[in-house]
Structures are given as structure tokens and as C-alpha cells.
Amino acid sequence: MARAFAADGEQLVAIMDEDERAVVAGLCLQVMGLVAPATSTKGESADPFEAIVAGLGDLATDTEDGAGGAEVPDRAFGLDEDRDPALDRLFPTGNREDEQEAAEFRRFTEQGLRQRKHDGLATTVRTLESVEEDRWVLTRGQAPQVLVALTDVRLVMGERLGLRTDEDATRLEELIETLDADDPAVFALGVYDFLTWLQESLTRALTGEDEE
């Protein structure tokens, strides 16, 4: 079972077993593919989180068909034909009133931001792959990159799950309670909550709050 990050001299250490590390590293690798600076060919828009939330689309069933159940926000599923909506969570627009100006802003800034996010995710994967005896060890220099990487993974998962507001979160939590434990939606939300806990524990360890 995972144990929160804690300061150990100049290092920050969390305890995570192999399966937990594999999940976090796998998600980081998928987001790396999403934010990679090199652009992909239009039409090759496979969702890198499809495996994580596979089957979630079936949850938004039509009650008139007798299936019952709550609806999941439509924006949780599918991709815009031109741009993955998750990218707008990772790279917010510079001007919401003028799309042409926003596009110009993206053209000059987004590639650099993509590279920095890609590098942070790569650092996270590299440190996870170098774990010994279940100890995930970060230097204080690596910790900010890992914090951003965990934030980016959570933003993408949040977009896939439709988590934009407190109401969305409450709605999904209520829906989860009606599902079987092996439903992929339960797993996806459990992973999201785990990442939230992990990020918060790293923040506390980095700022010294865990010592209070």
C-alpha cells in the first residue's frame, strides 16, 4: 500500500508498489504522447486515455430504453475533429474573445510549453523506473517538475471524466456508487483520486508542511 511523500534529508520519498508505479508511469507516458511538440497527422486522433475510461460512454444510457442510471457529461467523451479538448485544459487560450488572436498566441507559445511538459513527464517516468525497494525518491530539484506532471495527468483524466466543476464531481461520485467494483469507471475515478492524494502529499513534503 502506498505511503505519502515525506522529506528524508534533501530527498523526498514515497512508498509505492510495482503496480502503483506502473499505473502512474503509464499515464505519464500517454500524456507525453498527447503533449509531444511534434504535431501528428490530422485524422490520427486516437484517445490515449481510451483504455483507462473504456466503457464510460455506456454509462450515459437513455432511461427510455430501461437502462436507467445518471448521465455523464457529454464533454467527457470523444475528440474535437481538429483539437483534443484536453489540450485546452493543459494549454489555456490566451484570448477567449478572439479565436484568431488565441491561435496566434498558441503558435508562438505552445511548442515551448509542450516541450517543458514533455520533459517533466519524462522526468517523472524516469524516476519511477529507477525505484529500488519500492522507494520513489525525488530530489528537491525534480519535485516541481513531477508536481506539474501529476497536475497534467489529472487535467487530462478530469477532461475525459467530465470533471470541470464541483457539481460534475458530485454527479460522478453518485454514479460510481451504483456500479460494480470491477467497472472501469470505478477504476478510473480511483486512479484520479490516488493521483490527487499523491500530488498533495508531494506538495506538503516539498513545503515542509508534513513536518508540522
Side-chain angles (χ1 to χ4, degrees), residues 157 161 173 176 184-197:
M157 288 200 74
L161 292 167
E173 290 279 3
I176 292 296
V186 177
F187 174 72
L189 190 59
V191 170
Y192 182 86
D193 288 342
F194 177 75
L195 291 171
T196 301
W197 167 80

Side-chain angles (χ1 to χ4, degrees), residues 24-193:
V24 177
L27 290 171
C28 287
L29 286 168
Q30 291 176 63
V31 178
M32 284 174 67
L34 184 64
V35 304
T39 57
S40 61
T41 303
K42 185 175 180 180
E44 297 177 358
S45 56
D47 185 345
F49 275 79
E50 184 177 354
I52 294 297
V53 294
L56 279 177
D58 297 333
L59 299 179
T61 53
D62 187 348
T63 55
E64 294 181 0
D65 294 335
E71 293 184 355
V72 175
D74 291 340
R75 63 175 172 271
F77 312 110
L79 300 177
D80 180 86
E81 64 177 358
D82 294 318
R83 182 177 173 86
D84 186 331
L87 291 173
D88 291 328
R89 298 286 295 273
L90 296 171
F91 309 106
T93 183
N95 188 327
R96 297 184 182 279
E97 304 299 325
D98 187 328
E99 178 54 35
Q100 183 173 354
E101 185 174 326
E104 190 71 4
F105 177 81
R106 271 201 306 266
R107 187 168 73 87
F108 284 105
T109 64
E110 188 168 301
Q111 289 304 304
L113 290 172
R114 281 175 177 264
Q115 187 63 60
R116 286 193 291 274
K117 288 182 180 297
H118 190 275
D119 291 346
L121 288 157
T123 294
T124 304
V125 172
R126 185 170 61 253
T127 57
L128 283 165
E129 291 178 342
S130 64
V131 163
E132 296 181 359
E133 298 180 350
D134 290 344
R135 287 167 51 87
W136 185 13
V137 179
L138 302 175
T139 66
R140 291 185 178 274
Q142 292 168 331
Q145 278 190 303
V146 173
L147 280 172
V148 173
L150 293 174
T151 297
D152 291 342
V153 174
R154 289 180 62 249
L155 284 172
V156 176
M157 288 200 74
E159 178 64 33
R160 299 295 186 257
L161 292 167
L163 299 177
R164 285 182 172 271
T165 67
D166 291 341
E167 289 76 14
D168 289 338
T170 299
R171 191 178 179 190
L172 187 56
E173 290 279 3
E174 292 172 350
L175 179 60
I176 292 296
E177 293 178 0
T178 70
L179 303 176
D180 294 333
D182 59 353
D183 192 287
V186 177
F187 174 72
L189 190 59
V191 170
Y192 182 86
D193 288 342

